[in-house]
Amino acid sequence: QQTGGYPPQGVSEVDKHRDVLGELLEEQERLIQARHLNRRGCFNDVSATSSPSSYAHRGRASAKDTNLMDENAAKERPNWAVDGSEPKEMPVVPLERTFDLTLTLTGDFVDELARGYSQPWFQELLKRCCEECADREKFLERLQDMAFEVQRPILENWGFEGNEQGLYDMTSILLEH
């Protein structure tokens, strides 16, 4: 019997993480597009936005082009999480795919994201968010902002922009592969 919160109880921890990551990517793509278009006054209907995978690819990054300086780039807890405040709002930037990874590099990139998501500070925030959010939509919205604190240093470490553009490129690449 479910007592509230998201994800539902009675589901294995591995399935919870797999479901949350998939839902996060889908919701992240939708919210990035919605934020961008709503800020520009283009659409009020999020379902009218297009998928990042439909945009043309500008370039390919090889292992030589990618600066992998720190495999634990998201190890440090961000200041906003220590202070108990909310993450900062990201500025408006053009949303057109500007980066690409090979399938092999995408696998390495996902491994680094998984290491970041497994950091104790993020798991603590995730657990608190699960307990506080009664519905899926609110949970995914808050999760996107929390996950960006893991994603930003990893994106920058791989040569992506550490902003909404980098998120858009990452989401597009992950959905493609």
Side-chain angles (χ1 to χ4, degrees):
Q1 180 172 351
Q2 187 169 337
T3 60
Y6 187 84
Q9 294 186 6
V11 178
S12 77
E13 288 299 313
V14 171
D15 288 338
K16 285 180 191 176
H17 293 291
R18 186 175 299 126
D19 290 346
V20 168
L21 181 59
E23 289 176 3
L24 172 65
L25 288 172
E26 291 171 5
E27 187 70 7
Q28 186 165 344
E29 175 184 1
R30 186 186 71 74
L31 289 173
I32 289 169
Q33 282 292 353
R35 263 189 203 160
H36 178 72
L37 295 174
N38 285 336
R39 284 182 184 161
R40 293 190 178 262
C42 298
F43 292 104
N44 287 327
D45 179 15
V46 176
S47 64
T49 60
S50 61
S51 164
S53 55
S54 66
Y55 288 93
H57 307 290
R58 289 226 173 151
R60 285 215 174 265
S62 67
K64 184 177 96 177
D65 299 330
T66 310
N67 185 9
L68 302 176
M69 296 184 299
D70 183 4
E71 289 188 350
N72 287 311
K75 188 173 185 177
E76 298 300 318
R77 187 175 188 159
N79 289 337
W80 69 264
V82 173
D83 298 340
S85 59
E86 293 293 321
K88 294 179 183 170
E89 181 97 11
M90 294 177 277
V92 175
V93 293
L95 294 178
E96 165 177 318
R97 185 144 164 197
T98 61
F99 204 86
D100 204 3
L101 295 174
T102 64
L103 181 59
T104 302
L105 287 175
T106 300
D108 294 342
F109 181 72
V110 168
D111 289 344
E112 191 166 343
L113 285 170
R115 280 193 298 276
Y117 296 137
S118 69
Q119 295 299 320
W121 68 265
F122 181 75
Q123 291 298 309
E124 179 184 316
L125 288 175
L126 181 63
K127 182 179 178 184
R128 186 172 45 181
C129 184
C130 286
E131 293 167 355
E132 294 172 359
C133 295
D135 64 79
R136 177 181 177 268
E137 199 166 315
K138 183 178 178 184
F139 172 76
L140 290 172
E141 191 173 304
R142 284 190 55 198
L143 181 60
Q144 180 181 0
D145 292 333
M146 290 186 325
F148 182 66
E149 297 304 324
V150 170
Q151 296 161 352
R152 181 190 345 233
I154 295 169
L155 288 168
E156 291 171 346
N157 196 31
W158 278 72
F160 291 85
E161 293 181 37
N163 57 20
E164 211 169 46
Q165 179 66 52
L167 283 175
Y168 185 81
D169 288 339
M170 174 192 75
T171 303
S172 177
I173 290 167
L174 293 176
L175 288 171
E176 179 184 314
H177 294 293

